[in-house]
Amino acid sequence: MKSLRAGAKTGFLFILIIWGLHTVKAQYKVEGRIVEVGSDYDDVSVAIECNGSKKELKLTPIGNFETYLEANKTYLFNFSKPGYVSKIIEFSTIIPDEVHFETIQPYYLPVRLFKTFEGVDTVFFNQPVAKIKFDKTLSDFADDRDYSLKVKYRIDKMRQKKKKPEKKTVVRKDKRDYPKQEIVLVKKEEIVKQPSQTIDKKEEKSTIDLPPLKERYPQGRTDEIFELDGRTVERTIFMTGNIRKIYLAVHHDWGGVFYFIDQADLGYRCISFEAYENLLATQSLDKKNK
């Protein structure tokens, strides 16, 4: 009788251990970094909200952070810094029943904060600037592309409403006739070289500088290949109406190959080879059917 009780007790403890391990694995890791705020992270605040509860995330000296999310919940990441526009990013961990967190790579979330400017609508930034959710096509988490593009459009419109500089009248001290001269005012942002697109990937610990995108691309698929120092980059652009989607395949001379999807304002996101191949095939098929 005692042996039966001992066996039952052991079995029960084994079930508890397995259940406990399963609970631990139900946590999904999200790691990221605050960029473009200089090197001062002391006054940068990163907080996460869910179901009314809120907690602060600790930043490393170089602006990195990490946290673990539970399944089937919606989280709000809040990023702020004095003198900068605050950002909110929504992250939904709702996944199909047959999908498990351990089969998905941790999510890397680079967050770019920009300084406040005249004409900025602070009320607009009380809503998420990006929404991340599970994508069945990728079998991975990805941002809502259409939503991000709409937000980017609104932000660009705000920047265009900056107060124009007043025209200055030049009064000459003498009254001699001078030939008329055409004065062309060039905005500062028009003469500053635009930074090329970069990839900030933790595993590579490097930056890839690519030629800037063209202003216009034809409808359908466009492939570009760039021979860089120690690597070859294949950039694939799909245009569907006004929607542009970009994918990268980075081939290193030492044999490593990494794949990325452009997530608009969030930057590039590393994806698996299977997701990359499946996504390119799906995009091509969708265009052909149309």
Side-chain angles (χ1 to χ4, degrees):
M1 193 71 176
K2 291 183 178 180
S3 61
L4 289 176
R5 290 181 178 178
K9 186 177 181 180
T10 302
F12 179 70
L13 290 175
F14 179 76
I15 292 174
L16 285 178
I17 293 173
I18 295 299
W19 180 83
L21 291 174
H22 178 73
T23 303
V24 172
K25 290 183 179 180
Q27 301 283 324
Y28 181 65
K29 184 177 182 180
V30 174
E31 53 189 344
R33 183 179 182 183
I34 307 298
V35 297
E36 297 184 8
V37 294
S39 57
D40 183 13
Y41 299 97
D42 293 338
D43 56 354
V44 176
S45 174
V46 180
I48 183 171
E49 298 181 40
C50 182
N51 295 333
S53 63
K54 182 177 180 179
K55 70 174 182 178
E56 297 284 337
L57 301 183
K58 187 177 180 180
L59 287 176
T60 67
I62 59 174
N64 291 328
F65 63 90
E66 68 175 44
T67 187
Y68 290 86
L69 310 181
E70 295 181 6
N72 301 319
K73 292 186 177 181
T74 299
Y75 294 84
L76 293 177
F77 285 81
N78 295 268
F79 305 92
S80 62
K81 175 180 171 68
Y84 288 73
V85 178
S86 300
K87 279 188 176 183
I88 298 176
I89 295 177
E90 180 181 295
F91 201 117
S92 171
T93 58
I94 298 176
I95 54 177
D97 294 335
E98 66 273 12
V99 177
H100 303 284
F101 280 156
E102 54 264 32
T103 64
I104 310 173
Q105 291 293 325
Y107 197 93
Y108 182 62
L109 182 63
V111 179
R112 293 171 174 80
L113 296 180
F114 53 85
K115 292 185 178 180
T116 56
F117 55 87
E118 187 176 355
V120 63
D121 183 1
T122 55
V123 176
F124 172 77
F125 288 96
N126 289 334
Q127 62 182 337
V129 297
K131 293 184 177 181
I132 302 169
K133 59 184 180 180
F134 185 79
D135 189 318
K136 292 182 179 179
T137 303
L138 295 173
S139 296
D140 201 348
F141 287 101
D143 78 309
D144 185 328
R145 180 72 177 184
D146 292 338
Y147 182 86
S148 296
L149 289 175
K150 290 177 182 178
V151 171
K152 186 176 184 302
Y153 174 80
R154 286 288 303 275
I155 295 175
D156 291 342
K157 285 294 183 182
M158 290 181 202
R159 292 184 180 276
Q160 292 174 7
K161 290 183 179 179
K162 287 183 180 180
K163 185 177 180 181
K164 296 181 179 180
E166 299 180 358
K167 295 182 179 179
K168 295 183 179 180
T169 303
V170 179
V171 180
R172 300 186 185 277
K173 294 183 179 181
D174 56 44
K175 296 183 179 181
R176 288 181 295 174
D177 292 333
Y178 287 88
K180 294 183 178 180
Q181 295 180 343
E182 181 181 2
I183 301 176
V184 180
L185 298 179
V186 181
K187 296 180 181 179
K188 182 179 179 181
E189 56 266 25
E190 294 177 346
I191 63 175
V192 176
K193 182 180 178 182
Q194 296 183 351
S196 58
Q197 290 186 318
T198 59
I199 296 175
D200 188 357
K201 182 173 180 295
K202 182 180 179 182
E203 290 81 359
E204 286 191 275
K205 298 183 181 300
S206 63
T207 300
I208 301 177
D209 295 311
L210 295 178
L213 291 165
K214 300 176 183 178
E215 292 186 4
R216 294 183 180 181
Y217 281 91
Q219 293 294 303
R221 174 172 176 167
T222 300
D223 293 294
E224 300 175 334
I225 298 179
F226 306 103
E227 297 291 342
L228 304 177
D229 185 18
R231 68 199 74 184
T232 300
V233 180
E234 299 176 18
R235 183 163 68 187
T236 303
I237 301 99
F238 285 96
M239 288 296 301
T240 306
N242 294 325
I243 303 299
R244 181 175 65 193
K245 296 185 178 180
I246 306 169
Y247 310 96
L248 299 181
V250 183
H251 301 262
H252 293 266
D253 290 351
W254 50 268
V257 184
F258 299 94
Y259 303 92
F260 302 86
I261 179 175
D262 181 24
Q263 295 192 161
D265 192 49
L266 296 178
Y268 284 102
R269 158 90 163 123
C270 184
I271 58 178
S272 66
F273 169 74
E274 291 77 12
Y276 173 83
E277 287 286 296
N278 183 45
L279 199 51
L280 291 190
T282 302
Q283 290 285 338
S284 299
L285 182 60
D286 289 345
K287 182 61 183 176
K288 184 178 180 180
N289 291 335
K290 291 181 181 180

